[in-house]
Amino acid sequence: MKNSPATKHDLAVFASYKLNQIDILNQTLDVLLQNHCHEKSNDDALYSDYFLGLMQGESSSPWPQLTPHGLNLSTLLLLSWRTLILQHLPTKAEALVNRLCFAELEKTRQHIQNLRPQQVNSPAQGLENAKSHTQAERNIALLYIEFGHIESLRHTATQQLHEMLRPQDKLYPLDSGLLLILPNLAGEGHALLAASRAQTLLTDSFTESAISPRIGIALWPEHGKHYKPLMLAAQTAARQCSNEEPAIYQAERDIQGRLLAKLEKPLREALAQNRFYLAFQPQVQPTSAQPIYKGAEALLRWHDTELGDIRPDEAVRVAEQLGLMPQLTRWVIHAALREFSQLSKAGLTGSLSINLTPSNILDSRLAQEVENALILWNIPGERVIFEITESAAIDELEATISSLYALKALGCKLAMDDFGTGYASLSYLKRLPIDELKIDQSFIRTITQSDTDAHIVESVIKLAQTLSLSVLAEGVEDHATLEALMAYGCNLIQGYYFSHPLAPNDLLQFYRALQPFKAQQ
């Protein structure tokens, strides 16, 4: 498929087609929008007008008026629209519809990118700059201002808040609101005074909407020494406060704070004493006969003698907050490659998938450490797939691109995990050196109950494959779901239907059990 930009001529040609069963098409679109847009938003009406305009040969831009949730849906809704439209058009129109779809996806990508500050002026860099403007024994305040569903008011809010800023203060737009970084404050009282001033300015400017934003406050270094834990603390404080009064982060009221208090010491000890272990979940290629083994994903496991089994996501969140993620990731990479080396010597073929966190992607030492590990355990880079999430890729796009190409230079492959749960679109994937797309299990598990979700998954698979991306479905637990995915042309399957995560020796047995069937084919 040629992905050349859509033109006004393309729109005119598209409008000239007489769509079959237009009433049925419109009804299906209405159901699709109602099922996925929030009931209290205007997103479904905006999308309805937008798709109607496309069918009439007019391309509008509803993105600035959409809620964050609505904007998040743009890729999946466009892909579903593409699938529905193609059912009512002759085969020769597919290339035209593909060009239109990619052009619209590019518009959403550009809009989302414009919402985000440039990497050189990111909030993380802003915090580092603020430290140079802060005297000893004084604080930096991060004020997270949450707008909820009033994303369209951000421009007005930004104008109002500039009135209170000192030269060294910085204001950053975020997906769901704004962030103020205020250096050299005297303490909690000073931060609360600034937050109250911000709330007064915003409340006065939103009188017609009768809206009072939530403002959460985190203080450096009391609540954290780095951007991510401070930002998390400020967001938590915003959720805890009322609309009338700003709130300072309180660890005792914070689930994450309690989790940190519970796991900090055990996590440090587990890292020092090598108490983690790995499980491996097989990834198979489905066929009409027997599945073909293609690889496995390495999954972190941790059993504490006092606390019992600790969820992997909790361990990762605490490691991120403590700044221990580089050490934990280094352990995972070496442990996974060590096991993989031993299994390969015993005859295991296929690939090994390893997860990376957002902080891993931004670690300048990552590629060198991966190269050292590949050499140490004698594993070709071509057999290793590193998985990143949508948010990791999009939050720091330019830095992510650089880091991913450094991994590609080692021969490693790359997969985007949990696709469909964030802002990423296939337009972003055109810039990223991704080899594989993993569709999040929240979509996979409903495809046999929901025609809408089935259309979405099918659309993602078909269009991703036009970009030469392999597609893996996560969370496959029953035969009906497997059959549907095979009909859509999904390349790889991962889930309990074939296997739970396995110990290394059990993985080898699983692999060997499939080989006789493979040999007969």
Side-chain angles (χ1 to χ4, degrees):
M1 183 185 72
K2 296 180 179 180
N3 298 331
S4 55
T7 64
K8 291 183 178 179
H9 175 70
D10 288 330
L11 286 167
V13 172
F14 179 63
S16 70
Y17 281 107
K18 293 183 178 180
L19 294 169
N20 298 322
Q21 299 176 306
I22 187 68
D23 292 339
I24 296 177
L25 174 60
N26 287 334
Q27 290 173 9
T28 307
L29 277 172
D30 287 342
V31 172
L32 175 72
L33 298 175
Q34 290 168 9
N35 286 346
H36 288 273
C37 294
H38 282 160
E39 292 182 4
K40 296 181 180 179
S41 75
N42 193 42
D43 290 341
D44 57 342
L46 289 168
Y47 271 117
S48 180
D49 291 343
Y50 166 66
F51 288 128
L52 178 62
L54 282 180
M55 288 186 283
Q56 295 174 346
E58 300 173 359
S59 177
S60 60
S61 296
W63 323 123
Q65 287 78 45
L66 293 169
T67 66
H69 173 76
L71 186 60
N72 193 23
L73 291 172
S74 58
T75 295
L76 297 179
L77 291 179
L78 274 164
L79 294 181
S80 297
W81 171 82
R82 170 188 175 273
T83 298
L84 291 171
I85 286 291
L86 288 177
Q87 295 173 5
H88 298 271
L89 290 173
T91 304
K92 65 180 181 180
E94 182 173 0
L96 171 64
V97 173
N98 286 338
R99 286 200 302 274
L100 287 174
C101 193
F102 274 109
E104 297 306 304
L105 287 169
E106 179 64 17
K107 286 185 181 180
T108 66
R109 186 194 70 78
Q110 290 177 355
H111 175 72
I112 293 170
Q113 191 169 26
N114 290 337
L115 293 178
R116 303 174 185 276
Q118 295 298 311
Q119 175 69 13
V120 296
N121 190 30
S122 67
Q125 185 59 51
L127 175 63
E128 295 304 310
N129 293 338
K131 292 177 183 179
S132 65
H133 293 288
T134 301
Q135 300 169 0
E137 308 301 325
R138 292 175 75 88
N139 300 100
I140 301 169
L142 273 69
L143 273 59
Y144 173 67
I145 305 170
E146 185 177 68
F147 295 108
H149 67 283
I150 58 167
E151 183 74 12
S152 59
L153 297 177
R154 176 165 41 192
H155 180 68
T156 301
T158 300
Q159 291 180 318
Q160 295 297 321
L161 290 174
H162 273 297
E163 179 181 324
M164 63 172 281
L165 299 185
R166 302 168 297 171
Q168 66 271 30
D169 297 338
K170 296 296 181 183
L171 176 63
Y172 298 93
L174 302 174
D175 289 332
S176 56
L178 295 168
L179 176 68
L180 276 170
I181 297 183
L182 310 177
N184 206 37
L185 301 188
E188 287 190 6
H190 199 173
L192 282 168
L193 184 65
S196 296
R197 172 65 172 153
Q199 190 149 40
T200 299
L201 287 171
L202 295 177
T203 303
D204 290 347
S205 65
F206 296 158
T207 51
E208 293 183 3
S209 304
I211 288 168
S212 182
R214 296 175 181 269
I215 301 181
I217 306 166
L219 295 175
W220 173 90
E222 180 179 346
H223 300 135
K225 296 182 180 180
H226 305 287
Y227 170 69
K228 285 189 178 293
L230 283 167
M231 186 62 202
L232 180 61
Q235 290 175 321
T236 301
R239 290 194 297 269
Q240 294 170 347
C241 74
S242 68
N243 289 79
E244 290 75 27
E245 296 290 340
I248 290 182
Y249 172 74
Q250 299 177 40
E252 63 273 13
R253 296 181 59 194
D254 177 18
I255 295 175
Q256 179 70 12
R258 293 197 296 271
L259 184 66
L260 179 63
K262 180 178 78 170
L263 294 184
E264 177 175 3
K265 183 179 178 182
L267 180 66
R268 292 185 186 277
E269 291 177 350
L271 268 174
Q273 299 173 16
N274 198 28
R275 293 180 184 170
F276 298 104
Y277 65 99
L278 296 175
F280 298 84
Q281 188 166 33
Q283 299 169 342
V284 303
Q285 176 186 337
T287 71
S288 57
Q290 293 292 330
I292 301 172
Y293 179 89
K294 288 296 182 179
E297 178 183 1
L299 300 169
L300 179 68
R301 295 292 184 262
W302 174 22
H303 180 84
D304 184 81
T305 54
E306 294 184 4
L307 300 175
D309 290 327
I310 309 298
R311 286 172 44 184
D313 62 311
E314 292 182 347
V316 169
R317 281 157 58 192
V318 171
E320 288 276 24
Q321 279 202 284
L322 295 174
L324 296 175
M325 205 60 228
Q327 296 95 307
L328 182 57
T329 300
R330 188 180 306 115
W331 182 91
V332 170
I333 290 173
H334 279 276
L337 293 180
R338 181 183 67 247
E339 295 283 7
F340 192 53
S341 176
Q342 294 172 356
L343 291 170
S344 296
K345 291 175 182 177
L348 184 76
T349 63
S351 62
L352 172 69
S353 295
I354 300 174
N355 291 280
L356 297 176
T357 69
S359 64
N360 294 147
I361 296 298
L362 300 180
D363 188 343
S364 61
R365 300 163 296 180
L366 175 65
Q368 185 61 58
E369 291 184 353
V370 168
E371 183 177 18
N372 294 340
L374 292 172
I375 294 171
L376 177 62
W377 300 111
N378 194 29
I379 300 294
E382 292 79 7
R383 295 190 66 189
V384 179
I385 302 173
F386 285 104
E387 298 185 8
I388 63 170
T389 62
E390 285 190 50
S391 58
I394 306 308
D395 282 346
E396 306 284 2
L397 184 60
E398 299 305 324
T400 296
I401 290 173
S402 176
S403 183
L404 295 186
Y405 272 106
L407 292 174
K408 291 285 285 188
L410 301 176
C412 301
K413 296 180 180 179
L414 301 167
M416 179 168 284
D417 197 10
D418 300 336
F419 185 80
T421 61
Y423 280 109
S425 77
L426 295 182
S427 297
Y428 277 104
L429 298 185
K430 292 167 69 177
R431 294 192 62 196
L432 298 169
I434 297 295
D435 303 286
E436 179 178 286
L437 200 65
K438 297 185 71 173
I439 304 177
D440 186 67
Q441 58 186 324
S442 62
F443 296 99
I444 299 301
R445 287 176 176 171
T446 56
I447 61 174
T448 58
Q449 292 84 38
S450 169
D451 289 341
T452 301
D453 288 346
H455 281 309
I456 289 174
V457 170
E458 182 180 14
S459 298
V460 171
I461 291 172
K462 298 299 184 186
L463 202 53
Q465 290 177 343
T466 67
L467 294 174
S468 300
L469 298 175
S470 176
V471 183
L472 184 149
E474 298 181 284
V476 178
E477 298 185 353
D478 57 70
H479 187 70
T481 302
L482 174 65
E483 285 191 327
L485 290 166
M486 290 177 65
Y488 301 155
C490 187
N491 305 102
L492 298 170
I493 301 294
Q494 181 176 337
Y496 289 176
Y497 180 73
F498 285 114
S499 177
H500 286 66
L502 302 171
N505 287 338
D506 293 333
L507 176 68
L508 187 60
Q509 294 305 315
F510 177 89
Y511 166 76
R512 287 172 174 170
L514 296 183
Q515 298 320 295
F517 298 106
K518 182 178 180 182
Q520 294 171 12
Q521 293 179 352

